[in-house]
Amino acid sequence: MSIGSAAKTGEKRTGGNLPLPFRETETERQLREERDRFEFATEAANVGYWFCNLPFGKLAWDRRVKEHFWLPADADVDIDLFYSRLHPDDRERTRRAIAASIENHTTYDVEYRTVSEGGELKWIRAVGRTAYAADGTPLRFDGLTRDVTDLKMAQEARNRAEEALIRSEKLAVVGRLAASISHEINNPLESVVNLLYLIAATTTDETVRTYTRTAQEELARVSHIVTHTLRFNRQAPSSARESLARIIESTAAIYEARLRHAGIRFTVECGDAVGGLNFGLELRQVFANLLGNAFDASDRDGVILLRARSQRNWRNAAAGVRVTVADNGCGMDPRIRPSLFEPFFTTKGAKGTGLGLWVSREILGRHGGAIRVRSCQGSGRSGTVFSVWLPAPAE
Ligand code: ADP
Ligand code: MG
């Protein structure tokens, strides 16, 4: 065995019985152990590592970096191949990030997509840094890559769910406005229909009868518009039944990353929450608004607790479940309490719609539920608790 191959493959590492020139020195042993630890750490963390001398030419990549770039383990890599495997939209951004990191002595930290020959994509996060000579000349650029495709997909799915929720809230708001308009129109409309009927039934004048018939026909069209077009919004109860825990957890998932990012501690507890609810979409809207409000009211280091518990109704003792959303945010001025559930009441200026609580109360009322609030302002003990009560679904 040659020294070269022993060094490469790491065979006969201790070399205890070998003649002196082949024996591992103490420094070599330490280096090997360090290297083993490094290999173990990168393997266990599923990250790839690369290193290269500056200016860029050949790049030394381990097996996993090559996998991240859709390359076989024995591929020969240089900087041009690196850029050619990046998604065209990510190349310039990555080039700039590398240049900035080398020039400014800062950590390089980017996410880019790599593309296989067949057009498949992976999302990779790369983190690296530059080593410099004493005079500041950049010498080496080393770092790690990690496959974050699953993470990205989950994030995107969450964003899509969030958009869908906002869309459905807007739709529900428009629908509810339309519903209340139709309700308002219906009463006078019915009177006019009755009056026209009376006129038609009591007059003997043929001209009046003709006019009345035309008026009745036109009015029938108005009635049709009111009942069929303006009342389109009611969400038909879904045949799919869901458990409350599922509804709560999927709504919480939408907020989790945002809250964590804002430094807010978020806890969800769905103990013995009921199942078999068929208005999940509407309930998600209620919880999403309560969480959004708690988020708006909270500072960094805030705490938000979302909890579901079996509990009897606070007024009539009916069996059901109580969901609370509690925050230790700014709390509310008692003077605004009477206006909270009014449409368009907001203290958030252009950022708020003032429709969330109004819609929530309407949804809950329609399903036999209720909502109430306790809030407190004062240093060290401010916060708000919204409690939603839902009746246990019929078996
Ligand atoms: P919006 O969030 O668009 O303002 P909402 O109907 O959801 O509309 O809320 C109405 C108002 O109630 C808010 O503008 C805010 O003043 C108050 N509010 C609601 N939830 C909280 C909370 N958790 N803490 C403090 N204030 C709140
Ligand atoms: Mg709101």
Side-chain angles (χ1 to χ4, degrees), residues 41 133 185 224 229 310 347:
I185 292 177
H224 183 86
T229 315
S310 287
T347 54

Side-chain angles (χ1 to χ4, degrees), residues 289 293-294 297 327 330-332 336 340 345-348 352-358 384 386:
N289 179 58
N293 285 350
D327 66 69
C330 59
M332 321 175 185
I336 73 164
L340 279 188
F345 175 82
T346 181
T347 54
K348 299 174 191 171
T353 62
L355 294 170
L357 290 175
W358 175 58
T384 302
F386 274 93

Side-chain angles (χ1 to χ4, degrees), residues 220-247:
R221 278 177 43 195
V222 176
S223 296
H224 183 86
I225 291 169
V226 168
T227 49
H228 289 86
T229 315
L230 290 178
R231 282 179 181 271
F232 73 96
N233 74 297
R234 290 291 144 112
Q235 191 205 340
S238 153
S239 55
R241 291 182 172 264
E242 287 181 280
S243 75
L244 183 63
R246 195 186 137 85
I247 296 168

Side-chain angles (χ1 to χ4, degrees), residues 6 9 58 254 263 297 328 343 346 354 367:
T9 60
K58 286 265 173 248
I254 294 170
N328 63 354
T346 181
H367 296 286

Side-chain angles (χ1 to χ4, degrees), residues 56 68 121 175 204 296:
F56 288 112
H68 294 160
L121 289 179
T204 49
D296 290 339

Side-chain angles (χ1 to χ4, degrees), residues 259 264-269 287 289-298 302-308 322-332 372-376 382-388:
L259 293 173
I264 295 167
R265 210 165 77 228
F266 180 38
T267 314
V268 182
E269 289 174 14
F287 299 138
N289 179 58
L290 292 181
L291 282 176
N293 285 350
F295 172 64
D296 290 339
S298 297
V303 178
I304 295 177
L305 175 64
L306 171 55
R307 175 193 280 162
R322 178 186 179 190
V323 184
T324 50
V325 178
D327 66 69
N328 63 354
C330 59
M332 321 175 185
R372 65 177 189 178
V373 60
R374 277 188 297 128
S375 187
C376 193
S382 67
T384 302
V385 183
F386 274 93
S387 300
V388 166

